[in-house]
Every structure is written in structure tokens, then in C-alpha cells.
Amino acid sequence: MLGKLIKYDLKNAARIFLLVHGIYLFICIILRLLVMNPLDFSAPSRLLITPLTLIVVLFIFLLTAMTLTTSLLIALRFYRNLFSKEGYLSWTLPAAPSTHLLAKFLSGYLIAAADIIIIAAGILVLVTGSNVADAYRQIAPDMEKVLGITLGSYALKLFLFTVIFTFTSIVQIYFCIALGQLFQEHRVLLAIAFYFLAGFGVQILTTSLLLITGLIRPQMFADSYSFNMGRYTDILYLITGILSIILAVIEYMVTNYIMKRKINLI
């Protein structure tokens, strides 16, 4: 039953997911061919400002749209399938609440991980031109001095961390939706409010832990020559990774309890 639930969720989300991400990749290819490839990075900076600004603004817009679409797909599928009128049918299936939650978690993770992988693929399409590579070689020594490692290694670490720990955002979405169901009215609005509050709380807690433990100190940023971005991000990954796992376990257990004991369909 677990496999069937996961397959059904993925099939349900596939059409919109593939459409949105297909458009994203198509736009990245067009930008590469029409904007990035013709760029001459040896030209005066004033001639590069406009096209590079266009690419950055458009990419931020695309990234926001894709991330938001993926989060909405995951959240709406969880809410509609388990807590709306559709839930009456879902709860008649021979599957325990814990099985429903696990299926939603695994399918949500697969969707979110695919989203990150496709975003990374789009970035590679934009920045792997020979003109970009030649321009980067000129600043590579300075970049490696700041990062402590090569830019490729730094980007790979960021990519792997994001893919691996994206499960924490999935659990947080489900946790906030489940909390919203504890109220009789404005459940969706409250779920959204809980989501933003939870995100803000995690940021405050993470920053506080970094400062309290002394792993991150304001003096680290004072000397730009001695500051090592790679070492800083390693520490940040360690702290946020441990904290994310702890919070995700707690949120998952609370969500499972709500689904078992406090289910209230509308």
C-alpha cells in the first residue's frame, strides 16, 4: 500500500511539475544561447551590467516561482488528500495514519529533491559556456582564497547539503498543516501563519546556537583576508544539519500524533 500511495502522489503532481520545470529549463537554454554565449567578459564593465542584471533578475524570478510551485504542490496534496473532503476516501483505504504520513513524506521528498536537481541543471546550462569559464579563470585564485576550496567543490557541497536536508522543509510543511487542523476555523490561514513562524523560529534558534557556542564570531568577518568562507559554511552546515534533524524528528512525531488522535475532516 505504501508504494501505491507514493506512486499515486507522484503521478498526481507530475503534470504541473514537469510543465513548470520544463519551462524553466527552456528559458535557461534560451538565455544561454541569446544572452550568455554572446557576452564578451573582456569588454568594459558598463557593457556587461545590463545583460548580467537581466539574467540575475530573471533567474531570481524563475527560482522563486519554481520553489513556490513545488512547495504548493507538496502542501496542497497533503492537505487535500488527508484533511479536506477527499480525506473521507483516503481514510477508507487499508492504510494506517503513519503509512499515509510516510507516503506523503517520501513522495514530497522526491518532488523537492527533483526540484533542486533541475534548478542546478539550469544553473549549469547558464554558466558552462567557454566565455564564462575563461572569465572565471582570471578570478579563480582569489575565489579559492576566500572559499578555501575550489568554486566547484563549494557548489557541490551546497548542492548535496540542500538535496539531503530538503526533507526538513517537507516535514515542516506537514507539521504546520497538521497544527492548523486543530482549530475549527481559518485552518489554512493558521497553517500558513504557523509555517512562517516556524521558519522564523528556526532562524533565530540557529543564529543563537552559533553565537552561544562561539562557532561563529563577529570577528570572523572583520579581516577579509583571513576569513575562510568554506570553513564558515562547514560549521553552518554542521549546526543547521543537527538542529534540522532534531526538529524534523519532533515535528514528524507531532504530525503523526495529530493524524492518529486529532483528525478532523472538513
Side-chain angles (χ1 to χ4, degrees):
M1 179 56 67
L2 177 63
K4 291 181 179 179
L5 291 173
I6 295 173
K7 182 179 179 180
Y8 183 71
D9 285 339
L10 294 177
K11 183 178 179 180
N12 185 269
R15 181 179 300 178
I16 296 177
F17 182 88
L18 292 176
L19 175 63
V20 171
H21 290 75
I23 293 174
Y24 163 77
L25 289 176
F26 176 75
I27 293 176
C28 288
I29 293 173
I30 295 299
L31 286 175
R32 164 74 177 269
L33 296 175
L34 300 183
V35 182
M36 290 297 292
N37 283 352
L39 282 179
D40 180 8
F41 287 93
S42 62
S45 58
R46 58 185 175 82
L47 299 179
L48 298 174
I49 292 176
T50 299
L52 291 178
T53 301
L54 171 65
I55 291 176
V56 170
V57 171
L58 184 55
F59 186 77
I60 291 175
F61 172 78
L62 288 172
L63 184 62
T64 302
M66 294 234 309
T67 304
L68 180 60
T69 299
T70 301
S71 297
L72 285 175
L73 278 175
I74 295 170
L76 289 176
R77 186 61 195 155
F78 181 72
Y79 173 76
R80 288 177 177 175
N81 191 234
L82 297 178
F83 293 106
S84 69
K85 293 179 180 179
E86 186 179 335
Y88 288 103
L89 177 61
S90 299
W91 292 113
T92 61
L93 297 173
S98 57
T99 303
H100 279 292
L101 178 59
L102 181 58
K104 290 292 183 293
F105 169 73
L106 294 176
S107 62
Y109 176 78
L110 291 175
I111 293 171
D115 173 67
I116 295 169
I117 292 171
I118 294 175
I119 288 175
I123 295 174
L124 288 176
V125 168
L126 288 174
V127 303
T128 51
S130 58
N131 57 337
V132 178
D134 291 339
Y136 174 70
R137 289 191 190 98
Q138 300 179 18
I139 63 171
D142 293 330
M143 289 292 294
E144 292 181 17
K145 184 180 295 184
V146 172
L147 297 178
I149 53 177
T150 64
L151 180 60
S153 299
Y154 183 84
L156 179 60
K157 288 168 64 175
L158 175 61
F159 170 75
L160 292 176
F161 180 85
T162 306
V163 170
I164 293 172
F165 283 90
T166 191
F167 74 88
T168 60
S169 63
I170 307 302
V171 175
Q172 185 172 307
I173 289 173
Y174 295 164
F175 169 70
C176 295
I177 292 175
L179 283 182
Q181 306 315 301
L182 297 177
F183 299 86
Q184 293 297 321
E185 298 180 354
H186 309 297
R187 296 176 179 177
V188 175
L189 183 61
L190 286 171
I192 295 174
F194 284 133
Y195 181 78
F196 283 105
L197 287 173
F200 180 72
V202 170
Q203 292 296 324
I204 294 296
L205 183 58
T206 302
T207 303
S208 299
L209 284 175
L210 291 171
L211 293 174
I212 291 172
T213 57
L215 294 175
I216 298 297
R217 302 180 303 277
Q219 292 79 4
M220 293 175 60
F221 306 95
D223 188 355
S224 59
Y225 293 99
S226 62
F227 176 66
N228 188 310
M229 178 62 75
R231 188 180 305 159
Y232 166 74
T233 51
D234 285 344
I235 296 173
L236 187 62
Y237 290 161
L238 176 63
I239 296 297
T240 56
I242 294 174
L243 180 60
S244 296
I245 291 173
I246 294 173
L247 291 177
V249 170
I250 295 173
E251 290 172 347
Y252 190 94
M253 293 173 62
V254 172
T255 304
N256 188 51
Y257 174 80
I258 292 174
M259 291 175 61
K260 282 184 177 181
R261 306 295 184 185
K262 303 291 185 178
I263 189 71
N264 187 15
L265 302 180
I266 58 174

